[in-house]
Amino acid sequence: MRNSELARVLRAANPWWSRRRRATWVLDDDDLAARARHEWAPATACARAALAPLADGPRPATVTLVVGPRGVGKTTAVKDVVAHLVADPATDPRRVVLIPAQLTDATGTLDDLEPADLATAVRTPTRTGAPACDGPRVLVVDEVGAVAGWPRVLADAARRGDQVVATTSVLDPADLAELEAACPAGSLTVRRLQPASLSELLGACPTAAVGDVRAAYLRHGGLPRAVAEHRDLGDVSPELVASLAAGLHRDVCRGVDGCPLDLLLSGVCATTDRFVEPEPLARLLGLSTAEVGRLLARLEHAHVLDPRRGLVDPLLHRLPSLIAPERHVPPTAQHIATFSH
């Protein structure tokens, strides 16, 4: 990507650089607006509590990694942090740089930044449209796990004195180990956001009938927006389903068309017993055991699968029938209850 193209991306992602937009950008930000339409307050409070130290002010020479599955609210949570920082008169908004590591084109297809583009945006942001400023930057990198070589880029930024806040839906243990080894001692913090469990939903709805809460949970799961949409609309929206499907396809299949996500998830549901085993899934999908093993590892790294129990959220069991209803019958509530984490 040319620097001029990257500059357009950064200017669109950082409206607070404009004096006129510094106070108003939160009103028309897509992620914050989506939460405003369908918010589950306990999840918002949980995310804000987890990231509260970041909103207190810049923390130079640190790296905070925000990890969690697609749809759990990572991007919205870090934009909350940005909103607090740029609203503080003591913070120069030009110091805050949001870098989207995944871009969505006009058709809704996700594409990743090239490693060189990420390195340029992080190391020399003024070359790509960020205004000059005094002092270290606050670099917010969204979905950084999509870009090869990201641990070294983040660690180098911390060593230069910048504060780095990065989200990722995919965390390979090898990447985390590399980041830990490369970061200055004591500078790395990992925050994890998870879908709500049934017990958490029951705690948030103390006056509701247990059976009703359980039935709803087995239908919509615990992702914050899914909980809110089920409450407001009666079910999850097609937009949320499409967003989850596109993100998971990118995370697990690396965007390859020959890897049908609905068949993979449906196959995991159909073959799971006490454990998720690659052999029966390989027979069902017509792939080699090694190929299936790699896909299962990606599901695990994407926080979609617990190899000991199956898919981690009830909505993932329904996702194949929501993506391709002509090919898949929704699983029963009993199946979801048995094989959800």
Side-chain angles (χ1 to χ4, degrees), residues 65-91:
L65 194 60
V66 184
V67 181
R70 292 277 178 175
V72 81
K74 302 181 300 298
T75 300
T76 308
V78 296
K79 284 187 174 181
D80 263 344
V81 171
V82 170
H84 278 84
L85 290 176
V86 301
D88 184 350
T91 301

Side-chain angles (χ1 to χ4, degrees), residues 242-260:
S243 175
L244 285 175
L248 287 174
H249 191 268
R250 197 74 194 173
D251 294 343
V252 178
C253 302
R254 309 290 171 85
V256 176
D257 290 336
C259 171

Side-chain angles (χ1 to χ4, degrees), residues 10-334:
L10 292 185
R11 282 196 295 270
N14 294 265
W16 48 87
W17 291 343
S18 165
R19 290 183 180 179
R20 290 181 298 177
R21 300 290 308 282
R22 178 175 180 172
T24 62
W25 70 272
V26 296
L27 300 177
D28 54 11
D29 179 84
D30 289 342
D31 296 299
L32 296 176
R35 185 182 63 185
R37 288 194 302 272
H38 303 291
E39 179 181 25
W40 191 55
T44 301
C46 181
R48 285 176 173 166
L51 303 185
L54 301 179
D56 291 340
R59 300 162 62 89
T62 62
V63 177
T64 302
L65 194 60
V66 184
V67 181
R70 292 277 178 175
V72 81
K74 302 181 300 298
T75 300
T76 308
V78 296
K79 284 187 174 181
D80 263 344
V81 171
V82 170
H84 278 84
L85 290 176
V86 301
D88 184 350
T91 301
D92 182 349
R94 298 172 299 175
R95 292 177 59 188
V96 182
V97 181
L98 173 62
I99 304 168
Q102 282 193 329
L103 307 174
T104 306
D105 66 17
T107 67
T109 302
L110 293 177
D111 199 9
D112 306 331
L113 278 187
E114 292 295 328
D117 294 330
L118 176 65
T120 298
V122 169
R123 292 172 184 161
T124 53
T126 53
R127 287 182 58 191
T128 53
C133 69
D134 297 325
R137 300 274 189 178
V138 179
L139 302 170
V140 182
V141 189
D142 194 30
E143 287 299 345
V144 72
V147 184
W150 64 267
R152 178 62 60 178
V153 174
L154 300 195
D156 287 348
R159 290 187 179 280
R160 291 192 301 271
D162 290 329
Q163 176 184 356
V164 181
V165 180
T167 74
T168 184
S169 299
V170 178
L171 184 58
D172 189 310
D175 286 335
L176 180 58
E178 181 182 354
L179 182 63
E180 291 173 333
C183 281
S187 66
L188 174 63
T189 302
V190 179
R191 302 291 186 187
R192 298 183 184 272
L193 300 182
Q194 301 290 345
S197 64
L198 175 59
S199 61
E200 289 170 327
L201 288 172
L202 288 169
C205 307
T207 61
V210 172
D212 292 343
V213 176
R214 181 179 183 275
Y217 175 69
L218 293 177
R219 183 166 180 81
H220 62 61
L223 295 174
R225 183 170 163 185
V227 174
E229 287 188 348
H230 190 270
R231 176 197 63 206
D232 300 338
L233 307 174
D235 205 347
V236 295
S237 67
E239 293 78 15
L240 176 57
V241 170
S243 175
L244 285 175
L248 287 174
H249 191 268
R250 197 74 194 173
D251 294 343
V252 178
C253 302
R254 309 290 171 85
V256 176
D257 290 336
C259 171
L261 180 72
D262 62 310
L263 295 180
L264 177 60
L265 293 179
S266 178
V268 169
C269 288
T271 60
T272 294
D273 191 5
R274 283 191 61 197
F275 300 97
V276 179
E277 299 286 358
E279 290 82 359
L281 186 56
R283 290 194 295 270
L284 183 66
L285 298 178
L287 300 174
S288 70
T289 302
E291 288 173 320
V292 168
R294 286 191 290 270
L295 289 174
L296 291 177
R298 291 177 192 168
L299 284 171
E300 187 176 358
H301 297 162
H303 309 94
V304 171
L305 179 70
D306 179 343
R308 299 166 297 177
R309 289 289 304 276
L311 300 175
V312 300
D313 188 75
L315 183 58
L316 297 170
H317 290 268
R318 290 183 59 218
L319 201 57
S321 63
L322 295 172
I323 297 171
E326 71 284 359
R327 286 205 298 258
H328 304 285
V329 176
T332 66
Q334 182 57 45

